[in-house]
Amino acid sequence: MSTLEQKPAALKTGDNQTVPALEAAGISKTFRSKRSRLQVLDDVTLTVGKGEFVSILGPSGSGKSTLFHIIGGLVKPDAGSISMNGADVTGQQGHISYMPQQPALFPWRTIEDNVLLSQEVQGKVDREARENARRWLGKVGLGGFEKNHPHTLSGGMQQRAAFLRALLSPQELMCLDEPFSALDALTRSDMQRWLLDIWEESRRSVLFITHNIEEALLLSSRIYVFSSRPAAVLHEIDVPFQRPRREDIIEHPDFIRLRRELSGWLREEQLKMQGAT
Amino acid sequence: MRRWWNSVWPPFVAVLFFLVAWELSTSLFHIEKWILPSPVDIAKETADGAGDLWGHVGATVRLTLEGFIIGTAVGLIIALILHLIPFLKSALYPLLILSQNIPTIALAPLLMIWFGFGLLPKLIVITLVCFFPVAVATMGGLKQTDRVMLNYMRMIGANKRQIFAKLELPHALPAIFSGVKIAATYSVMGAVIAEWIGADKGIGYYMMLQKSGYRTDRMFVAIMIIVALSLLLFGIIALLEKWLVRWKPKQDN
């Protein structure tokens, strides 16, 4: 593995100037089969600073999840590299914590054991980890459900447990792949507020995929807007609101202006995609 | 309790009706006892002859359990090996299916010629009827691992062993149990067949003995015992399943 890959353009200014938690440089990926070629990612470069909440906003089916699979080491990019904290980890697994679209809790495990799963895979669950997990479960409103099995919980509660599983993982970067897209609108906005609170307290490095504009604006410090297939970074915007944020920022004129701008871009991309098929 | 009762009484009444019809028709049509004994005759014979039967029942139970455990273990091992080595699976799976078209009853006499009248050929017969449902169910269960969960495990960097132990195996457990339950009932049948062909004790041997004496009533007693053994073994496995797979959401049935 060459670690002497060229560094991409200067790091984004954020709350830190140190090595970013994640640096994806020039990622391209084309899926080839005998009959067809499908280019899904075209020279995608992005960074997530330490303790930064970054969103990827793009039309559905634009290859965002493929980018996650590349970051997670499941898929090898045709070009480009992934580094974390300055070390090249292209094609290596186990460097991220992850929350998928569906909660994917294991039905045979209790909530507590589910939350501890990623730590278990990393090979370290001691009494302290267990106590920590219980403390967090209480904190996110799942106290008393430690010994329950997942199917006895509501969708929102399952997602909270799945989030906790990612949060309690030892890896620094959390990758959240449209975690709330399967929830109903009401639960969804509850969960967004909830995530905002939890994140502002824990300040982990987060890469968040969504196609929901308000969600991206509410939660993130920066947003990368992706084009439709093949996905490339169209725009990169800083979200100017102070932290800790409150949900009333959605009535702020800047919020409304940004929302309008973003939805214009997204609609354009969506139309392009429909035109292409 | 009420719901339990509601589901129990219709089959109970049906069985009762069947027994009464049987009893009435044997006396009504004067059917000879050696052709078809009436339920009352069978019950009497059960009460009288129970003493000499225990030895035979014990032998059959032992043979059944030994064969069942070996057969299930063989089925599980075959499924695991074929699951872990895809090449072997593509090579051997069709043969495995094909092998099930060979009737075990036809093989049993051959096994007696090759391995004599000892325990070994009997265990082979039971293993042959047991391993297949376990192997097929286990392979099916392992193959149907939830894609989302599998993807999650790989994303967080789980290795093959962890994926197998923490995801594939527990996920396959309900499927494995459905195979083991079938194997449980097959194993009793396998044991009886093995005893028909060559044994000096056991329910199967007892049946053969009574057949030559035209003691149809005693054969019915034997059949009842075989049914009871099958149900008992099935029930034990079902209880074990209930305990091990207690995480599964309750389904309406």
Side-chain angles (χ1 to χ4, degrees):
Chain A
M1 287 276 143
S2 88
T3 46
L4 297 171
E5 205 82 43
Q6 263 196 323
K7 281 272 143 67
L11 304 175
K12 277 282 118 193
T13 51
D15 358 348
N16 53 78
Q17 297 288 342
T18 51
V19 197
L22 169 75
E23 195 171 348
I27 302 288
S28 295
K29 179 72 194 173
T30 303
F31 288 111
R32 292 179 178 82
S33 67
K34 270 180 191 150
R35 275 181 217 148
S36 62
R37 294 164 39 95
L38 185 67
Q39 190 179 11
V40 284
L41 293 169
D42 182 18
D43 197 20
V44 171
T45 295
L46 55 82
T47 59
V48 179
K50 285 202 170 78
E52 199 182 15
F53 197 119
V54 175
S55 288
I56 296 173
L57 187 64
S60 317
S62 63
K64 292 171 297 190
S65 292
T66 305
L67 181 63
F68 261 24
H69 289 160
I70 289 173
I71 294 171
L74 257 60
V75 176
K76 282 218 163 171
D78 297 334
S81 67
I82 303 289
S83 25
M84 289 180 196
N85 298 318
D88 186 341
V89 294
T90 315
Q92 295 176 24
Q93 296 180 4
H95 292 282
I96 58 162
S97 85
Y98 174 63
M99 178 176 179
Q101 276 178 43
Q102 293 94 2
L105 298 172
F106 290 13
W108 49 87
R109 287 174 163 251
T110 62
I111 292 300
E112 183 182 313
D113 286 341
N114 261 297
V115 162
L116 285 165
L117 175 66
S118 53
Q119 291 174 74
E120 212 176 290
V121 166
Q122 297 297 318
K124 33 205 156 187
V125 172
D126 45 19
R127 180 177 295 173
E128 201 183 328
R130 216 161 254 287
E131 273 163 17
N132 188 37
R134 271 188 218 137
R135 202 162 45 239
W136 269 103
L137 281 168
K139 216 166 176 174
V140 304
L142 292 172
F145 291 97
E146 293 91 350
K147 299 288 170 216
N148 277 46
H149 286 282
H151 70 271
T152 60
L153 269 61
S154 71
M157 286 163 105
Q158 289 187 24
Q159 278 297 14
R160 267 182 261 175
F163 177 79
L164 214 51
R165 180 175 60 181
L167 186 75
L168 295 180
S169 275
Q171 298 93 338
E172 174 163 355
L173 180 73
M174 291 175 71
C175 292
L176 314 183
D177 187 357
E178 303 200 23
F180 307 141
S181 60
L183 300 174
D184 62 275
L186 232 106
T187 316
R188 185 174 188 145
S189 68
D190 268 356
M191 290 296 292
Q192 289 164 0
R193 259 170 280 158
W194 175 83
L195 180 58
L196 186 63
D197 288 347
I198 295 284
W199 181 79
E200 290 191 331
E201 195 177 328
S202 64
R203 292 281 174 151
R204 289 275 293 268
S205 317
V206 173
L207 185 59
F208 186 86
I209 289 182
T210 182
H211 56 246
N212 184 307
I213 295 165
E214 284 190 15
E215 192 168 282
L217 282 172
L218 183 68
L219 294 166
S220 29
S221 308
R222 273 186 307 125
I223 299 176
Y224 289 97
V225 181
F226 272 32
S227 65
S228 59
R229 221 165 34 221
V233 177
L234 270 188
H235 305 276
E236 180 190 340
I237 59 169
D238 284 299
V239 185
F241 307 107
Q242 290 289 315
R243 300 214 185 246
R245 286 178 188 167
R246 290 162 48 96
E247 52 160 331
D248 55 15
I249 63 164
I250 62 170
E251 282 150 26
H252 194 284
D254 283 347
F255 190 97
I256 294 167
R257 182 181 53 77
L258 280 170
R259 187 173 58 193
R260 190 176 305 136
E261 198 171 7
L262 285 169
S263 78
W265 289 334
L266 273 192
R267 191 164 311 131
E268 223 169 272
E269 288 308 311
Q270 204 88 49
L271 284 176
K272 261 190 228 163
M273 203 140 99
Q274 280 160 9
T277 51
Chain B
M1 193 64 197
R2 199 188 174 83
R3 270 183 62 195
W4 175 82
W5 178 244
N6 279 342
S7 65
V8 159
W9 75 262
F12 186 77
V13 167
V15 169
L16 202 69
F17 182 80
F18 174 75
L19 287 177
V20 169
W22 180 357
E23 181 71 41
L24 287 179
S25 45
T26 44
S27 55
L28 216 64
F29 302 115
H30 306 290
I31 296 174
E32 295 288 349
K33 199 177 157 186
W34 61 270
I35 294 179
L36 181 66
S38 77
V40 172
D41 294 332
I42 296 170
K44 261 190 212 148
E45 182 55 41
T46 311
D48 296 343
D52 346 319
L53 261 169
W54 282 118
H56 293 300
V57 173
T60 303
V61 166
R62 227 185 113 191
L63 180 64
T64 302
L65 287 181
E66 283 169 354
F68 169 66
I69 289 167
I70 294 171
T72 304
V74 168
L76 284 174
I77 291 166
I78 287 178
L80 294 190
I81 291 173
L82 295 199
H83 174 72
L84 293 174
I85 310 170
F87 170 74
L88 273 186
K89 186 173 179 181
S90 53
L92 295 182
Y93 193 70
L95 290 182
L96 211 62
I97 303 281
L98 212 66
S99 77
Q100 288 310 296
N101 292 312
I102 305 168
T104 318
I105 306 179
L107 270 186
L110 264 181
L111 291 171
M112 299 295 158
I113 294 174
W114 292 336
F115 301 107
F117 290 86
L119 188 62
L120 183 65
K122 298 189 188 70
L123 289 180
I124 293 176
V125 167
I126 304 173
T127 302
L128 282 177
V129 294
C130 273
F131 87 93
F132 184 73
V134 176
V136 169
T138 304
M139 271 188 285
L142 289 173
K143 208 177 71 184
Q144 280 162 10
T145 302
D146 189 282
R147 305 310 301 176
V148 179
M149 293 180 197
L150 186 62
N151 195 33
Y152 171 78
M153 285 297 269
R154 291 166 64 205
M155 279 296 267
I156 64 168
N159 58 35
K160 257 193 136 173
R161 194 177 45 81
Q162 287 172 324
I163 288 177
F164 179 75
K166 293 185 199 301
L167 173 60
E168 289 177 317
L169 194 61
H171 195 274
L173 213 53
I176 293 174
F177 263 107
S178 68
V180 172
K181 277 191 283 191
I182 296 173
T185 52
Y186 280 14
S187 66
V188 180
M189 183 191 77
V192 172
I193 290 174
E195 285 168 350
W196 279 354
I197 289 163
D200 50 13
K201 56 184 186 297
I203 299 290
Y205 166 76
Y206 176 82
M207 278 184 89
M208 283 294 131
L209 212 63
Q210 301 310 324
K211 190 196 93 183
S212 35
Y214 289 100
R215 288 302 300 265
T216 322
D217 51 348
R218 288 191 176 162
M219 289 178 75
F220 269 100
V221 173
I223 289 171
M224 267 170 42
I225 290 169
I226 292 165
V227 170
L229 281 183
S230 273
L231 283 177
L232 190 69
L233 195 54
F234 186 89
I236 290 169
I237 304 298
L239 274 179
L240 192 67
E241 177 189 22
K242 213 172 173 182
W243 183 69
L244 276 174
V245 194
R246 59 190 179 281
W247 46 266
K248 212 168 183 226
K250 284 206 172 54
Q251 282 158 351
D252 300 311
N253 49 358

